[in-house]
Every structure is written in C-alpha cells, then in structure tokens.
Amino acid sequence: MLYIDNSKSKSGKHAIRSLLFEIKDSKVIEVKSGGRQVKPIYNIGDAKVIDVDKGLFIYLRFIKNIYNRINGKILVIKDNNIVLELNYRKLKIKRVNGDGSFYEKVKVVLDSLKIPVKKVNLK
C-alpha cells in the first residue's frame, strides 16, 4: 500500500507531492486511477491509498518546507519488495539501501518530470 498525496498548507509554505509510476516494457506509465480516498497530510488537496501488484514501480515523495527547499524519498518496488531506496536533498541523490543498478529506471522518470539533479551517489 502506497500513500499518494498532493496537498499543501493553508499558507502555502508547506507542500507534499507523491507520485507513482509503473514501468512496463521500458515505458513509464503514471498510476493515477484506483485506490481509496484518505485524509491528506495538509489541509488543501487530496490523498489516496493505492495497492501495488506484481511489477516494477517507482514511488517518489517530495516535501517542500518553509524555506522552499525540497527533500524527497525515491523507492523502487519490484514485486512488493523495495529493491532500491534513494534520498533527494539539495539537488543530490544518495543511495540509502538496495541495488544501484535500478537507478537507470529512476533516471528515466526524473528526466521525464524535469527534476534537476546535480550529483548522484550510488556507493
């Protein structure tokens, strides 16, 4: 079960954005449908919980703080197992856990979303 949230605070200073992509035959497909509605973290917006099946999924979660800095977490899920966990901070990606060879799939998603990345550390 993954929590897909797209909400912001009343003041607009805090925001959260979660995205889920499925990779099928080297094509990137955003998962939007399905799931049940739940209460979002912040006041303005919506959220839902989605169950993932067999396959390769990339889950991105970005949080904007009061200083307009963005921190994020990227998970690569294969057959309901997390095979790669990455952190996104200060335009840099750092591997936390898992197999770094799955980063090529993540790179395709980041390029399609035009998310800036200065440096990648997969050690």
mmCIF file with all atom_site columns, all heavy atoms in Angstrom, residues 47-66:
data_model
loop_
_atom_site.group_PDB
_atom_site.id
_atom_site.type_symbol
_atom_site.label_atom_id
_atom_site.label_alt_id
_atom_site.label_comp_id
_atom_site.label_asym_id
_atom_site.label_entity_id
_atom_site.label_seq_id
_atom_site.pdbx_PDB_ins_code
_atom_site.Cartn_x
_atom_site.Cartn_y
_atom_site.Cartn_z
_atom_site.occupancy
_atom_site.B_iso_or_equiv
_atom_site.pdbx_formal_charge
_atom_site.auth_seq_id
_atom_site.auth_comp_id
_atom_site.auth_asym_id
_atom_site.auth_atom_id
_atom_site.pdbx_PDB_model_num
ATOM 1   N N   . ALA A 1 47 ? -5.712 12.968  -1.180  1.00 0.00 ? 47 ALA A N   1
ATOM 2   C CA  . ALA A 1 47 ? -4.797 11.856  -0.982  1.00 0.00 ? 47 ALA A CA  1
ATOM 3   C C   . ALA A 1 47 ? -5.553 10.550  -1.164  1.00 0.00 ? 47 ALA A C   1
ATOM 4   O O   . ALA A 1 47 ? -6.770 10.500  -0.973  1.00 0.00 ? 47 ALA A O   1
ATOM 5   C CB  . ALA A 1 47 ? -4.166 11.914  0.406   1.00 0.00 ? 47 ALA A CB  1
ATOM 6   N N   . LYS A 1 48 ? -4.824 9.509   -1.534  1.00 0.00 ? 48 LYS A N   1
ATOM 7   C CA  . LYS A 1 48 ? -5.424 8.186   -1.667  1.00 0.00 ? 48 LYS A CA  1
ATOM 8   C C   . LYS A 1 48 ? -4.380 7.119   -1.386  1.00 0.00 ? 48 LYS A C   1
ATOM 9   O O   . LYS A 1 48 ? -3.178 7.379   -1.437  1.00 0.00 ? 48 LYS A O   1
ATOM 10  C CB  . LYS A 1 48 ? -6.064 7.991   -3.038  1.00 0.00 ? 48 LYS A CB  1
ATOM 11  C CG  . LYS A 1 48 ? -5.133 8.157   -4.199  1.00 0.00 ? 48 LYS A CG  1
ATOM 12  C CD  . LYS A 1 48 ? -5.918 8.085   -5.490  1.00 0.00 ? 48 LYS A CD  1
ATOM 13  C CE  . LYS A 1 48 ? -5.041 8.500   -6.646  1.00 0.00 ? 48 LYS A CE  1
ATOM 14  N NZ  . LYS A 1 48 ? -5.753 8.503   -7.910  1.00 0.00 ? 48 LYS A NZ  1
ATOM 15  N N   . VAL A 1 49 ? -4.867 5.932   -1.092  1.00 0.00 ? 49 VAL A N   1
ATOM 16  C CA  . VAL A 1 49 ? -4.007 4.780   -0.829  1.00 0.00 ? 49 VAL A CA  1
ATOM 17  C C   . VAL A 1 49 ? -4.174 3.810   -1.984  1.00 0.00 ? 49 VAL A C   1
ATOM 18  O O   . VAL A 1 49 ? -5.295 3.446   -2.346  1.00 0.00 ? 49 VAL A O   1
ATOM 19  C CB  . VAL A 1 49 ? -4.384 4.110   0.508   1.00 0.00 ? 49 VAL A CB  1
ATOM 20  C CG1 . VAL A 1 49 ? -3.582 2.846   0.716   1.00 0.00 ? 49 VAL A CG1 1
ATOM 21  C CG2 . VAL A 1 49 ? -4.166 5.063   1.653   1.00 0.00 ? 49 VAL A CG2 1
ATOM 22  N N   . ILE A 1 50 ? -3.039 3.403   -2.577  1.00 0.00 ? 50 ILE A N   1
ATOM 23  C CA  . ILE A 1 50 ? -3.059 2.505   -3.728  1.00 0.00 ? 50 ILE A CA  1
ATOM 24  C C   . ILE A 1 50 ? -2.310 1.230   -3.377  1.00 0.00 ? 50 ILE A C   1
ATOM 25  O O   . ILE A 1 50 ? -1.214 1.278   -2.808  1.00 0.00 ? 50 ILE A O   1
ATOM 26  C CB  . ILE A 1 50 ? -2.422 3.171   -4.954  1.00 0.00 ? 50 ILE A CB  1
ATOM 27  C CG1 . ILE A 1 50 ? -3.253 4.369   -5.398  1.00 0.00 ? 50 ILE A CG1 1
ATOM 28  C CG2 . ILE A 1 50 ? -2.271 2.188   -6.101  1.00 0.00 ? 50 ILE A CG2 1
ATOM 29  C CD1 . ILE A 1 50 ? -2.715 5.107   -6.585  1.00 0.00 ? 50 ILE A CD1 1
ATOM 30  N N   . ASP A 1 51 ? -2.898 0.089   -3.719  1.00 0.00 ? 51 ASP A N   1
ATOM 31  C CA  . ASP A 1 51 ? -2.219 -1.196  -3.568  1.00 0.00 ? 51 ASP A CA  1
ATOM 32  C C   . ASP A 1 51 ? -1.437 -1.483  -4.840  1.00 0.00 ? 51 ASP A C   1
ATOM 33  O O   . ASP A 1 51 ? -1.950 -1.298  -5.942  1.00 0.00 ? 51 ASP A O   1
ATOM 34  C CB  . ASP A 1 51 ? -3.233 -2.322  -3.331  1.00 0.00 ? 51 ASP A CB  1
ATOM 35  C CG  . ASP A 1 51 ? -3.911 -2.195  -1.984  1.00 0.00 ? 51 ASP A CG  1
ATOM 36  O OD1 . ASP A 1 51 ? -3.240 -1.772  -1.031  1.00 0.00 ? 51 ASP A OD1 1
ATOM 37  O OD2 . ASP A 1 51 ? -5.110 -2.516  -1.895  1.00 0.00 ? 51 ASP A OD2 1
ATOM 38  N N   . VAL A 1 52 ? -0.191 -1.949  -4.686  1.00 0.00 ? 52 VAL A N   1
ATOM 39  C CA  . VAL A 1 52 ? 0.620  -2.298  -5.850  1.00 0.00 ? 52 VAL A CA  1
ATOM 40  C C   . VAL A 1 52 ? 0.649  -3.815  -5.995  1.00 0.00 ? 52 VAL A C   1
ATOM 41  O O   . VAL A 1 52 ? 0.667  -4.557  -5.014  1.00 0.00 ? 52 VAL A O   1
ATOM 42  C CB  . VAL A 1 52 ? 2.051  -1.733  -5.736  1.00 0.00 ? 52 VAL A CB  1
ATOM 43  C CG1 . VAL A 1 52 ? 2.032  -0.228  -5.823  1.00 0.00 ? 52 VAL A CG1 1
ATOM 44  C CG2 . VAL A 1 52 ? 2.731  -2.162  -4.469  1.00 0.00 ? 52 VAL A CG2 1
ATOM 45  N N   . ASP A 1 53 ? 0.638  -4.258  -7.242  1.00 0.00 ? 53 ASP A N   1
ATOM 46  C CA  . ASP A 1 53 ? 0.665  -5.682  -7.549  1.00 0.00 ? 53 ASP A CA  1
ATOM 47  C C   . ASP A 1 53 ? 2.071  -6.070  -7.981  1.00 0.00 ? 53 ASP A C   1
ATOM 48  O O   . ASP A 1 53 ? 3.035  -5.401  -7.680  1.00 0.00 ? 53 ASP A O   1
ATOM 49  C CB  . ASP A 1 53 ? -0.333 -5.996  -8.675  1.00 0.00 ? 53 ASP A CB  1
ATOM 50  C CG  . ASP A 1 53 ? -1.735 -5.520  -8.338  1.00 0.00 ? 53 ASP A CG  1
ATOM 51  O OD1 . ASP A 1 53 ? -2.002 -5.274  -7.160  1.00 0.00 ? 53 ASP A OD1 1
ATOM 52  O OD2 . ASP A 1 53 ? -2.536 -5.387  -9.267  1.00 0.00 ? 53 ASP A OD2 1
ATOM 53  N N   . LYS A 1 54 ? 2.145  -7.131  -8.730  1.00 0.00 ? 54 LYS A N   1
ATOM 54  C CA  . LYS A 1 54 ? 3.423  -7.554  -9.285  1.00 0.00 ? 54 LYS A CA  1
ATOM 55  C C   . LYS A 1 54 ? 3.826  -6.568  -10.364 1.00 0.00 ? 54 LYS A C   1
ATOM 56  O O   . LYS A 1 54 ? 3.011  -6.008  -11.062 1.00 0.00 ? 54 LYS A O   1
ATOM 57  C CB  . LYS A 1 54 ? 3.295  -8.957  -9.875  1.00 0.00 ? 54 LYS A CB  1
ATOM 58  C CG  . LYS A 1 54 ? 2.948  -9.999  -8.854  1.00 0.00 ? 54 LYS A CG  1
ATOM 59  C CD  . LYS A 1 54 ? 3.676  -11.271 -9.162  1.00 0.00 ? 54 LYS A CD  1
ATOM 60  C CE  . LYS A 1 54 ? 3.317  -12.299 -8.128  1.00 0.00 ? 54 LYS A CE  1
ATOM 61  N NZ  . LYS A 1 54 ? 4.373  -12.605 -7.261  1.00 0.00 ? 54 LYS A NZ  1
ATOM 62  N N   . GLY A 1 55 ? 5.122  -6.363  -10.490 1.00 0.00 ? 55 GLY A N   1
ATOM 63  C CA  . GLY A 1 55 ? 5.635  -5.439  -11.493 1.00 0.00 ? 55 GLY A CA  1
ATOM 64  C C   . GLY A 1 55 ? 6.691  -4.533  -10.883 1.00 0.00 ? 55 GLY A C   1
ATOM 65  O O   . GLY A 1 55 ? 7.083  -4.683  -9.721  1.00 0.00 ? 55 GLY A O   1
ATOM 66  N N   . LEU A 1 56 ? 7.138  -3.579  -11.676 1.00 0.00 ? 56 LEU A N   1
ATOM 67  C CA  . LEU A 1 56 ? 8.176  -2.645  -11.255 1.00 0.00 ? 56 LEU A CA  1
ATOM 68  C C   . LEU A 1 56 ? 7.546  -1.263  -11.105 1.00 0.00 ? 56 LEU A C   1
ATOM 69  O O   . LEU A 1 56 ? 7.003  -0.708  -12.056 1.00 0.00 ? 56 LEU A O   1
ATOM 70  C CB  . LEU A 1 56 ? 9.310  -2.613  -12.280 1.00 0.00 ? 56 LEU A CB  1
ATOM 71  C CG  . LEU A 1 56 ? 10.525 -1.784  -11.925 1.00 0.00 ? 56 LEU A CG  1
ATOM 72  C CD1 . LEU A 1 56 ? 11.215 -2.338  -10.690 1.00 0.00 ? 56 LEU A CD1 1
ATOM 73  C CD2 . LEU A 1 56 ? 11.497 -1.740  -13.080 1.00 0.00 ? 56 LEU A CD2 1
ATOM 74  N N   . PHE A 1 57 ? 7.611  -0.709  -9.888  1.00 0.00 ? 57 PHE A N   1
ATOM 75  C CA  . PHE A 1 57 ? 7.022  0.586   -9.586  1.00 0.00 ? 57 PHE A CA  1
ATOM 76  C C   . PHE A 1 57 ? 8.087  1.517   -9.044  1.00 0.00 ? 57 PHE A C   1
ATOM 77  O O   . PHE A 1 57 ? 9.002  1.093   -8.336  1.00 0.00 ? 57 PHE A O   1
ATOM 78  C CB  . PHE A 1 57 ? 5.909  0.449   -8.543  1.00 0.00 ? 57 PHE A CB  1
ATOM 79  C CG  . PHE A 1 57 ? 4.703  -0.300  -9.031  1.00 0.00 ? 57 PHE A CG  1
ATOM 80  C CD1 . PHE A 1 57 ? 4.604  -1.665  -8.852  1.00 0.00 ? 57 PHE A CD1 1
ATOM 81  C CD2 . PHE A 1 57 ? 3.678  0.368   -9.664  1.00 0.00 ? 57 PHE A CD2 1
ATOM 82  C CE1 . PHE A 1 57 ? 3.496  -2.360  -9.294  1.00 0.00 ? 57 PHE A CE1 1
ATOM 83  C CE2 . PHE A 1 57 ? 2.563  -0.313  -10.116 1.00 0.00 ? 57 PHE A CE2 1
ATOM 84  C CZ  . PHE A 1 57 ? 2.476  -1.679  -9.934  1.00 0.00 ? 57 PHE A CZ  1
ATOM 85  N N   . ILE A 1 58 ? 7.943  2.805   -9.351  1.00 0.00 ? 58 ILE A N   1
ATOM 86  C CA  . ILE A 1 58 ? 8.819  3.840   -8.810  1.00 0.00 ? 58 ILE A CA  1
ATOM 87  C C   . ILE A 1 58 ? 7.928  4.837   -8.073  1.00 0.00 ? 58 ILE A C   1
ATOM 88  O O   . ILE A 1 58 ? 7.017  5.420   -8.649  1.00 0.00 ? 58 ILE A O   1
ATOM 89  C CB  . ILE A 1 58 ? 9.631  4.528   -9.904  1.00 0.00 ? 58 ILE A CB  1
ATOM 90  C CG1 . ILE A 1 58 ? 10.551 3.511   -10.566 1.00 0.00 ? 58 ILE A CG1 1
ATOM 91  C CG2 . ILE A 1 58 ? 10.425 5.684   -9.332  1.00 0.00 ? 58 ILE A CG2 1
ATOM 92  C CD1 . ILE A 1 58 ? 11.338 4.028   -11.709 1.00 0.00 ? 58 ILE A CD1 1
ATOM 93  N N   . TYR A 1 59 ? 8.207  5.002   -6.773  1.00 0.00 ? 59 TYR A N   1
ATOM 94  C CA  . TYR A 1 59 ? 7.423  5.869   -5.905  1.00 0.00 ? 59 TYR A CA  1
ATOM 95  C C   . TYR A 1 59 ? 8.280  7.061   -5.513  1.00 0.00 ? 59 TYR A C   1
ATOM 96  O O   . TYR A 1 59 ? 9.377  6.898   -4.976  1.00 0.00 ? 59 TYR A O   1
ATOM 97  C CB  . TYR A 1 59 ? 6.987  5.072   -4.668  1.00 0.00 ? 59 TYR A CB  1
ATOM 98  C CG  . TYR A 1 59 ? 6.242  5.859   -3.631  1.00 0.00 ? 59 TYR A CG  1
ATOM 99  C CD1 . TYR A 1 59 ? 4.954  6.324   -3.874  1.00 0.00 ? 59 TYR A CD1 1
ATOM 100 C CD2 . TYR A 1 59 ? 6.807  6.123   -2.392  1.00 0.00 ? 59 TYR A CD2 1
ATOM 101 C CE1 . TYR A 1 59 ? 4.262  7.038   -2.918  1.00 0.00 ? 59 TYR A CE1 1
ATOM 102 C CE2 . TYR A 1 59 ? 6.121  6.832   -1.428  1.00 0.00 ? 59 TYR A CE2 1
ATOM 103 C CZ  . TYR A 1 59 ? 4.844  7.287   -1.702  1.00 0.00 ? 59 TYR A CZ  1
ATOM 104 O OH  . TYR A 1 59 ? 4.155  7.988   -0.749  1.00 0.00 ? 59 TYR A OH  1
ATOM 105 N N   . LEU A 1 60 ? 7.798  8.266   -5.809  1.00 0.00 ? 60 LEU A N   1
ATOM 106 C CA  . LEU A 1 60 ? 8.517  9.491   -5.495  1.00 0.00 ? 60 LEU A CA  1
ATOM 107 C C   . LEU A 1 60 ? 7.694  10.301  -4.507  1.00 0.00 ? 60 LEU A C   1
ATOM 108 O O   . LEU A 1 60 ? 6.485  10.461  -4.695  1.00 0.00 ? 60 LEU A O   1
ATOM 109 C CB  . LEU A 1 60 ? 8.728  10.329  -6.761  1.00 0.00 ? 60 LEU A CB  1
ATOM 110 C CG  . LEU A 1 60 ? 9.477  9.647   -7.880  1.00 0.00 ? 60 LEU A CG  1
ATOM 111 C CD1 . LEU A 1 60 ? 8.638  9.616   -9.115  1.00 0.00 ? 60 LEU A CD1 1
ATOM 112 C CD2 . LEU A 1 60 ? 10.757 10.348  -8.143  1.00 0.00 ? 60 LEU A CD2 1
ATOM 113 N N   . ARG A 1 61 ? 8.354  10.812  -3.481  1.00 0.00 ? 61 ARG A N   1
ATOM 114 C CA  . ARG A 1 61 ? 7.670  11.631  -2.484  1.00 0.00 ? 61 ARG A CA  1
ATOM 115 C C   . ARG A 1 61 ? 8.545  12.841  -2.175  1.00 0.00 ? 61 ARG A C   1
ATOM 116 O O   . ARG A 1 61 ? 9.668  12.691  -1.688  1.00 0.00 ? 61 ARG A O   1
ATOM 117 C CB  . ARG A 1 61 ? 7.432  10.820  -1.224  1.00 0.00 ? 61 ARG A CB  1
ATOM 118 C CG  . ARG A 1 61 ? 6.695  11.579  -0.173  1.00 0.00 ? 61 ARG A CG  1
ATOM 119 C CD  . ARG A 1 61 ? 6.380  10.695  1.000   1.00 0.00 ? 61 ARG A CD  1
ATOM 120 N NE  . ARG A 1 61 ? 5.595  11.438  1.942   1.00 0.00 ? 61 ARG A NE  1
ATOM 121 C CZ  . ARG A 1 61 ? 4.906  10.893  2.905   1.00 0.00 ? 61 ARG A CZ  1
ATOM 122 N NH1 . ARG A 1 61 ? 4.913  9.595   3.043   1.00 0.00 ? 61 ARG A NH1 1
ATOM 123 N NH2 . ARG A 1 61 ? 4.218  11.633  3.723   1.00 0.00 ? 61 ARG A NH2 1
ATOM 124 N N   . PHE A 1 62 ? 8.033  14.028  -2.478  1.00 0.00 ? 62 PHE A N   1
ATOM 125 C CA  . PHE A 1 62 ? 8.778  15.268  -2.277  1.00 0.00 ? 62 PHE A CA  1
ATOM 126 C C   . PHE A 1 62 ? 8.031  16.165  -1.312  1.00 0.00 ? 62 PHE A C   1
ATOM 127 O O   . PHE A 1 62 ? 6.820  16.311  -1.399  1.00 0.00 ? 62 PHE A O   1
ATOM 128 C CB  . PHE A 1 62 ? 8.981  16.000  -3.607  1.00 0.00 ? 62 PHE A CB  1
ATOM 129 C CG  . PHE A 1 62 ? 9.803  15.224  -4.591  1.00 0.00 ? 62 PHE A CG  1
ATOM 130 C CD1 . PHE A 1 62 ? 9.215  14.614  -5.678  1.00 0.00 ? 62 PHE A CD1 1
ATOM 131 C CD2 . PHE A 1 62 ? 11.165 15.094  -4.416  1.00 0.00 ? 62 PHE A CD2 1
ATOM 132 C CE1 . PHE A 1 62 ? 9.965  13.898  -6.584  1.00 0.00 ? 62 PHE A CE1 1
ATOM 133 C CE2 . PHE A 1 62 ? 11.927 14.378  -5.308  1.00 0.00 ? 62 PHE A CE2 1
ATOM 134 C CZ  . PHE A 1 62 ? 11.324 13.774  -6.392  1.00 0.00 ? 62 PHE A CZ  1
ATOM 135 N N   . ILE A 1 63 ? 8.796  16.790  -0.403  1.00 0.00 ? 63 ILE A N   1
ATOM 136 C CA  . ILE A 1 63 ? 8.228  17.687  0.600   1.00 0.00 ? 63 ILE A CA  1
ATOM 137 C C   . ILE A 1 63 ? 8.937  19.036  0.495   1.00 0.00 ? 63 ILE A C   1
ATOM 138 O O   . ILE A 1 63 ? 10.169 19.097  0.521   1.00 0.00 ? 63 ILE A O   1
ATOM 139 C CB  . ILE A 1 63 ? 8.398  17.114  2.019   1.00 0.00 ? 63 ILE A CB  1
ATOM 140 C CG1 . ILE A 1 63 ? 7.660  15.792  2.127   1.00 0.00 ? 63 ILE A CG1 1
ATOM 141 C CG2 . ILE A 1 63 ? 7.897  18.103  3.059   1.00 0.00 ? 63 ILE A CG2 1
ATOM 142 C CD1 . ILE A 1 63 ? 7.920  15.063  3.413   1.00 0.00 ? 63 ILE A CD1 1
ATOM 143 N N   . LYS A 1 64 ? 8.145  20.103  0.364   1.00 0.00 ? 64 LYS A N   1
ATOM 144 C CA  . LYS A 1 64 ? 8.685  21.463  0.327   1.00 0.00 ? 64 LYS A CA  1
ATOM 145 C C   . LYS A 1 64 ? 8.495  22.082  1.696   1.00 0.00 ? 64 LYS A C   1
ATOM 146 O O   . LYS A 1 64 ? 7.393  22.062  2.249   1.00 0.00 ? 64 LYS A O   1
ATOM 147 C CB  . LYS A 1 64 ? 7.967  22.299  -0.728  1.00 0.00 ? 64 LYS A CB  1
ATOM 148 C CG  . LYS A 1 64 ? 8.520  23.712  -0.859  1.00 0.00 ? 64 LYS A CG  1
ATOM 149 C CD  . LYS A 1 64 ? 7.740  24.515  -1.863  1.00 0.00 ? 64 LYS A CD  1
ATOM 150 C CE  . LYS A 1 64 ? 6.574  25.139  -1.152  1.00 0.00 ? 64 LYS A CE  1
ATOM 151 N NZ  . LYS A 1 64 ? 5.908  26.205  -1.886  1.00 0.00 ? 64 LYS A NZ  1
ATOM 152 N N   . ASN A 1 65 ? 9.571  22.644  2.256   1.00 0.00 ? 65 ASN A N   1
ATOM 153 C CA  . ASN A 1 65 ? 9.466  23.242  3.581   1.00 0.00 ? 65 ASN A CA  1
ATOM 154 C C   . ASN A 1 65 ? 9.312  24.758  3.494   1.00 0.00 ? 65 ASN A C   1
ATOM 155 O O   . ASN A 1 65 ? 9.188  25.330  2.406   1.00 0.00 ? 65 ASN A O   1
ATOM 156 C CB  . ASN A 1 65 ? 10.650 22.831  4.471   1.00 0.00 ? 65 ASN A CB  1
ATOM 157 C CG  . ASN A 1 65 ? 11.971 23.343  3.969   1.00 0.00 ? 65 ASN A CG  1
ATOM 158 O OD1 . ASN A 1 65 ? 12.041 24.228  3.132   1.00 0.00 ? 65 ASN A OD1 1
ATOM 159 N ND2 . ASN A 1 65 ? 13.049 22.795  4.490   1.00 0.00 ? 65 ASN A ND2 1
ATOM 160 N N   . ILE A 1 66 ? 9.343  25.406  4.626   1.00 0.00 ? 66 ILE A N   1
ATOM 161 C CA  . ILE A 1 66 ? 9.082  26.845  4.707   1.00 0.00 ? 66 ILE A CA  1
ATOM 162 C C   . ILE A 1 66 ? 10.140 27.675  3.967   1.00 0.00 ? 66 ILE A C   1
ATOM 163 O O   . ILE A 1 66 ? 9.882  28.777  3.527   1.00 0.00 ? 66 ILE A O   1
ATOM 164 C CB  . ILE A 1 66 ? 8.965  27.262  6.189   1.00 0.00 ? 66 ILE A CB  1
ATOM 165 C CG1 . ILE A 1 66 ? 8.370  28.642  6.315   1.00 0.00 ? 66 ILE A CG1 1
ATOM 166 C CG2 . ILE A 1 66 ? 10.295 27.174  6.891   1.00 0.00 ? 66 ILE A CG2 1
ATOM 167 C CD1 . ILE A 1 66 ? 7.968  29.003  7.715   1.00 0.00 ? 66 ILE A CD1 1
#
